[in-house]
Structures are given as C-alpha cells and as structure tokens.
Amino acid sequence: LSYMPFIVKAASLALTQYPIINSSIDVNAETVTYKHNHNIGVAMDTAQGLLVPNIKAVQNLSVFEIAAELTRLHHVGLAGKLTSQDLTGGTFSLSNIGSIGGTYASPVILPPEVAIGALGKLRTLPRYNAKGEVYPATVMNVSWSADHRLLDGATVARFSNLWKDYLENPASMVLDLK
C-alpha cells in the first residue's frame, strides 16, 4: 500500500470541511455549484500523455477501496484503455510530480474544477525539534493552484493545513471518518 490512497482520502476529508474547493463556477451564468461527490482526479503519465482519471465518490470509499481503484486506473491507463467515464466528472485533482522526481510545480487547473495540488517527491531533510536538536524528517512539498474568481488564498491555505494535519496525524483521519 503506497501513500497515495491516504493522500487522496485525507484530501476528501478536508474537502468535507472546505466544500467550496469541491465546487465549480460558471461565470456566464454567475453561479457556483457545490459538488456532493468528491471525484478526485489523479494525474497519470501514460503513452497518450498526461491524463487525469478520477476516483468517484472518494468520501464513501475506504483507503483500501481507493488503493484498488488507483491500481485499476493505473493499469487501464498504461494499457491506453481509460474510458470517458474514468476521465470525466472530476471535482478536484492531485498530480504526483514526486513520482518522476519533481519537488515543485505550477499545476494547471482542469476546468470545471477550481483547485489542484501537485505533490512533490518525499525527501528526508534535517529539521530541528523544540530543543534545537537536528533530526531527520520526511518532507513533501505541495504546490497549489486555485481559481481566484472563487477561492481566496487563505481558504486554500486552511484546507492545505487541515489536509497536512490528517497526513501527519493519521489518527485524526480516523476521528473524522464516517
């Protein structure tokens, strides 16, 4: 089991607290649509280029079910057989640039979504504890892009902090599972 199913589930839990990030905007109709399902897209490098299939209704899935769907999408993507059902209906996306060694990016939002996160490579870096002692810490940089017609930076930062807290303290995820 990789980190990705936990990362996806933590994002879904944070989206529950910040539903504006799981919405879309129609500027012409001057409407905002809040999406019930968390259809979380995961960018994949395929022979056809970068594609973003999505895991449907993540809020209703266990970490193991998310892992199984990620595996299915990965295999289908490598075989060049992703369907329109796999590729449409996304409400929020994550791009794992760390899988190819990347640390930072400027991820591009896939409309009609209003936010995306790019996950950097996990690295062990020196950090200091409260006593000033150096210790090794696992660090993952995340780059966020948001549609500022709807989202402000403070909302995205609060969402990111909650998501980060879920990942750093997995027991807190358990408390918010339904």
Side-chain angles (χ1 to χ4, degrees):
L1 198 59
S2 73
Y3 289 113
M4 200 62 182
F6 293 96
I7 290 169
V8 169
K9 188 62 177 184
S12 177
L13 289 170
L15 287 171
T16 300
Q17 300 298 316
Y18 293 91
I20 189 90
I21 294 174
N22 196 57
S23 66
S24 63
I25 185 171
D26 183 335
V27 177
N28 294 331
E30 297 181 357
T31 60
V32 174
T33 303
Y34 285 78
K35 309 294 176 127
H36 172 72
N37 283 333
H38 301 165
N39 297 339
I40 298 181
V42 180
M44 295 184 175
D45 186 20
T46 72
Q48 294 78 34
L50 184 69
L51 297 175
V52 188
N54 61 82
I55 304 163
K56 308 290 191 221
V58 171
Q59 77 279 4
N60 298 327
L61 301 178
S62 71
V63 170
F64 289 113
E65 290 168 323
I66 294 166
E69 183 63 359
L70 279 168
T71 299
R72 183 191 76 78
L73 290 170
H74 177 74
H75 290 300
V76 172
L78 288 177
K81 296 184 179 182
L82 288 166
T83 67
S84 61
Q85 176 68 18
D86 294 325
L87 295 167
T88 58
T91 61
F92 174 80
S93 291
L94 296 168
S95 180
N96 185 2
I97 62 168
S99 65
I100 57 171
T103 52
Y104 295 98
S106 295
V108 177
I109 300 166
L110 181 62
E113 298 172 21
V114 295
I116 183 173
L119 314 174
K121 177 182 171 183
L122 285 170
R123 299 177 292 153
T124 302
L125 297 173
R127 293 294 185 254
Y128 294 94
N129 64 19
K131 296 179 182 178
E133 302 163 331
V134 176
Y135 69 95
T138 302
V139 175
M140 177 180 70
N141 297 99
V142 181
S143 304
W144 296 104
S145 290
D147 187 334
H148 285 278
R149 294 174 300 173
L150 185 60
L151 302 174
D152 59 66
T155 299
V156 176
R158 288 183 189 101
F159 165 84
S160 181
N161 288 337
L162 178 59
W163 175 75
K164 176 179 175 268
D165 186 57
Y166 284 135
L167 294 174
E168 290 179 345
N169 306 293
S172 67
M173 280 189 6
V174 174
L175 297 174
D176 285 341
L177 289 176
K178 295 190 187 337

